Amino acid sequence: MNPIDPRQFRNALGAFTTGVTVVTTRDAQGQDVGLTANSFSSVSLDPPMVLWSLAKNSNSLPAFMGSDHFAVHILSTRQQPMSDRFAKRGADKFGGLDIARGHGEVPLLNDCAARFECRMAYRYEGGDHMIFVGEVLKFEHFNLPSLVYQSGGYALAVKKPAEYAAEDASYSSESFGRNALTYLLGRVYHQMRFQLKAFLDERGIDDVGHQVLGILGIRDGRSIGELDAMVRVTGPRVDLESLASLEGRGLVKIEGQGAGAVVHLTDSGRDLSIEIVAATKSIEDDALEVFDPTEVQVMTHLVRRLARRTSVETPPLWKKAD
Ligand SMILES: Cc1cc2nc3c(=O)[nH]c(=O)nc-3n(C[C@H](O)[C@H](O)[C@H](O)COP(=O)(O)O)c2cc1C
């Protein structure tokens, strides 16, 4: 009896986090061949060598057994669709792709994090896989963030600076206060908003005005009732009185009566709402300058999820209310 359960073995191997590559070659008939592989590993620096392994039941096996060259592409975070495309059996994997040619005329893909053109140096038996060792003839490093694979799914990797190690310890032992997200997110909001406040004060825009210009900038023609429902969660209320200053300065036009009255941006209101977006964006860009793009992507994704999770039934910003 085989004491190793194949599924559990596979799951355990998934604990080893890897990058994702697409390995390509050209077969004896001149057809381009390639597949997604995360079995890639560096082998030797001098001479420069890498390896990867291919399942013996793969359609690509004859091509890699017969070819003298292959290319390994380390995929970037943007290339998850490329990984999916090359992980499908038998599909036309290269259709519509912008291909260059490398050593041995093998197809080269773009937009990857790094690319290695190899001469097939050794082939080894490895159980139900073949192990291919390539001597690297040429490589390119494009300095894009790499796609990551972990426990059977794609992942994003962010660098772990030294100061995180101290913070790791504090998550379990330190009091709730210092790491409380409510406090941290509030602090970030107020600090960033403090910088924007000077800009708004100079233009005489109060809190309600700021939010209303922002909401109408996304989609114009909201009723006072809708605006109020969207702004209410932040504290202030929207009514004819709180809109008087925007209307008096010719930034909005109000049509109709009461909560059903519809508020429109005027041309100068639209110009100002665009200026506010630009000022907000520049404060954000300044703050994010020290983060790498993957950190920004992960941070945005997590905060967006938290925003959805804590949503208090405000009408959706982008949709027209029924
Ligand atoms: C992230 C990921 C990593 C993979 N790594 C390998 C690998 O290292 N070796 C392998 O033979 N197949 C690997 N596969 C599976 C192949 O990409 C898949 O079986 C593909 O359909 C093979 O295509 P082919 O039969 O046309 O050669 C991987 C798939 C994914 C999604």
Side-chain angles (χ1 to χ4, degrees):
M1 195 187 88
N2 181 356
I4 303 256
D5 177 81
R7 182 180 293 251
Q8 285 176 8
F9 179 53
R10 213 185 158 113
N11 290 347
L13 290 174
F16 188 60
T17 302
T18 66
V20 183
T21 74
V22 167
V23 190
T24 57
T25 193
R26 187 167 232 222
D27 72 12
Q29 289 74 44
Q31 289 291 315
D32 292 333
V33 173
L35 78 155
T36 303
N38 68 343
S39 52
F40 174 76
S41 181
S42 57
V43 174
S44 161
L45 291 178
D46 187 14
M49 290 178 133
V50 297
L51 70 73
W52 65 287
S53 63
L54 175 64
K56 285 182 179 167
N57 64 6
S58 154
N59 289 338
S60 308
L61 187 73
F64 285 100
M65 292 304 285
S67 174
D68 292 336
H69 294 89
F70 62 85
V72 180
H73 307 79
I74 297 184
L75 299 189
S76 64
T77 49
R78 314 177 191 151
Q79 289 183 302
Q80 190 175 321
M82 188 78 90
S83 171
D84 289 338
R85 171 195 274 243
F86 278 88
K88 285 202 184 83
R89 275 195 105 105
D92 173 18
K93 300 178 182 179
F94 292 87
L97 291 182
D98 188 15
I99 299 288
R101 293 280 159 199
H103 281 275
E105 293 300 300
V106 302
L108 300 179
L109 310 174
N110 296 314
D111 291 330
C112 49
R115 191 158 73 185
F116 301 88
E117 290 176 48
C118 304
R119 177 186 70 77
M120 186 71 80
Y122 305 104
R123 295 186 184 93
Y124 298 110
E125 290 281 339
D128 58 6
H129 279 57
M130 288 299 298
I131 302 165
F132 297 125
V133 178
E135 182 186 355
V136 177
L137 303 176
K138 181 179 173 190
F139 73 93
E140 285 145 299
H141 186 187
F142 301 102
N143 275 317
L144 293 172
S146 312
L147 184 62
V148 170
Y149 204 70
Q150 151 87 95
S151 299
Y154 295 108
L156 291 170
V158 295
K159 284 259 161 37
K160 195 172 183 206
E163 75 237 35
Y164 283 19
E167 284 175 24
D168 278 353
S170 81
Y171 283 125
S172 52
S173 60
E174 192 135 331
S175 69
F176 171 68
R178 207 173 86 85
N179 294 323
L181 272 179
T182 317
Y183 160 71
L184 285 176
L185 291 170
R187 184 170 157 191
V188 169
Y189 172 74
H190 287 294
Q191 286 170 179
M192 290 173 81
R193 168 120 176 109
F194 186 73
Q195 297 176 51
L196 187 65
K197 196 163 178 333
F199 177 91
L200 296 171
D201 284 350
E202 259 171 46
R203 288 152 184 84
I205 301 297
D206 62 11
D207 208 20
V208 168
H210 174 209
Q211 296 194 61
V212 168
L213 289 175
I215 293 168
L216 295 178
I218 291 170
R219 194 173 73 67
D220 197 26
R222 296 283 193 177
S223 74
I224 291 189
E226 280 179 82
L227 291 170
D228 183 54
M230 286 171 178
V231 169
R232 190 159 46 207
V233 67
T234 70
R237 304 300 298 254
V238 182
D239 52 21
L240 274 177
E241 196 185 321
S242 59
L243 291 174
S245 138
L246 288 185
E247 192 181 25
R249 298 180 46 213
L251 296 169
V252 297
K253 216 166 65 202
I254 302 175
E255 287 166 354
Q257 299 295 318
V262 175
V263 189
H264 292 278
L265 286 176
T266 61
D267 286 348
S268 49
R270 178 159 304 282
D271 288 349
L272 183 55
S273 95
I274 292 168
E275 266 187 71
I276 294 172
V277 171
T280 310
K281 170 104 177 51
S282 124
I283 291 167
E284 221 170 83
D285 287 349
D286 262 11
L288 293 176
E289 210 178 65
V290 293
F291 296 90
D292 78 34
T294 310
E295 285 178 314
V296 175
Q297 198 182 345
V298 169
M299 182 159 30
T300 310
H301 175 72
L302 293 179
V303 174
R304 190 177 287 137
R305 259 175 72 190
L306 196 57
R308 268 205 305 271
R309 168 97 187 120
T310 57
S311 160
V312 278
E313 292 303 310
T314 53
L317 263 178
W318 301 91
K319 271 203 220 142
K320 200 168 162 57
D322 303 320

